[in-house]
Amino acid sequence: PLWPQRPANGRCEVVCFTSDHNASFGSLPVSRVRTVIEAWADRTAELSAMPGIEQVFPFENRGQEIGVTLQHPHGQIYGYPFDAVRRDRIPDAGIEIACGSQRLIGAQQTGHGRIAERKAGSRVVIDGEHWTAFVPAAARWPVEAHLVPHRAVPDMAGLDDAERDELAVVYRELLHRLERATGQRDPAVRVRALTRLFVEFATEDPV
């Protein structure tokens, strides 16, 4: 063949967040956000166990600006047959910036960068028991925030119950703060609003 070939492995799933067509993720009660987090974790574990799946990547994109045709609050989960965010290319102190203008659940940040932001404190916007949200030192978007767990876990499935409980609270609160800052509902997923929110995980703590 003219080009390298491999089997077309991979999965794409859609998760509806609520039955309310006019709702947004940020408008959901904490209990419902917690249910969605449980679904993300469950599907991450299930898809990760499938042969040929190298990375599971839940995300949400919202708004006609990026071509969304289904306005009902929903997200997607991709099971890639390769490492889509190319973690091996990230420098020790770096933050992974990944595809497009989506809210990403499961991107990668290394331990050194995660701890350095907490120690600096100047860009921290939420500091919880299990999670910290901060504005990165070299943000690539006019409005950008990163939400990271204090403990090194590889993905959503690796979170314990306490971490999932607090994630439901701080994730929703961070969306509300972004909304107030930009004057838009769920601004983190709008392309033209130039905003971005990550929930990031690290595979190991720094030495």
Side-chain angles (χ1 to χ4, degrees), residues 163-183:
E163 290 164 334
R164 297 181 191 187
D165 288 345
E166 186 174 276
L167 177 60
V169 175
V170 298
Y171 187 40
R172 183 173 178 270
E173 171 62 21
L174 190 54
L175 287 179
H176 288 171
R177 294 190 186 195
L178 288 169
E179 178 181 336
R180 292 194 294 269
T182 62

Side-chain angles (χ1 to χ4, degrees), residues 25 29-46 105 129-131 147 149-151 153-172 199 201:
F25 195 99
V30 171
S31 59
R32 185 64 179 180
V33 174
R34 180 65 173 81
T35 298
V36 174
I37 290 170
E38 199 65 28
W40 283 334
D42 177 79
R43 297 313 300 156
T44 294
E46 188 75 16
I105 314 298
E129 181 179 355
H130 303 289
W131 294 84
L147 180 59
H150 296 172
R151 183 176 66 92
V153 292
D155 54 27
M156 296 292 285
L159 297 173
D160 61 28
D161 286 340
E163 290 164 334
R164 297 181 191 187
D165 288 345
E166 186 174 276
L167 177 60
V169 175
V170 298
Y171 187 40
R172 183 173 178 270
V199 178
F201 298 97

Side-chain angles (χ1 to χ4, degrees), residues 75-128:
Q76 299 183 62
I77 304 175
Y78 285 176
Y80 288 108
F82 53 86
D83 190 342
V85 299
R86 300 180 180 180
R87 288 189 286 258
D88 57 324
R89 299 187 183 182
I90 306 170
D92 282 345
I95 303 291
E96 170 61 22
I97 305 298
C99 55
S101 199
Q102 303 157 336
R103 185 159 71 230
L104 308 179
I105 314 298
Q108 176 78 9
Q109 183 195 15
T110 62
H112 290 289
R114 173 167 47 92
I115 288 181
E117 289 290 353
R118 291 193 69 205
K119 286 183 176 179
S122 58
R123 292 176 296 274
V124 171
V125 293
I126 297 177
D127 192 11

Side-chain angles (χ1 to χ4, degrees), residues 23-24 60-74 101-103 184-193:
S24 67
E60 178 193 3
N61 51 16
R62 179 183 174 86
Q64 295 179 348
E65 297 90 343
I66 56 174
V68 172
T69 56
L70 177 61
Q71 296 303 315
H72 193 96
H74 72 287
S101 199
Q102 303 157 336
R103 185 159 71 230
Q184 299 185 41
R185 187 177 74 167
D186 260 9
V189 292
R190 295 179 181 269
V191 171
R192 302 307 175 192

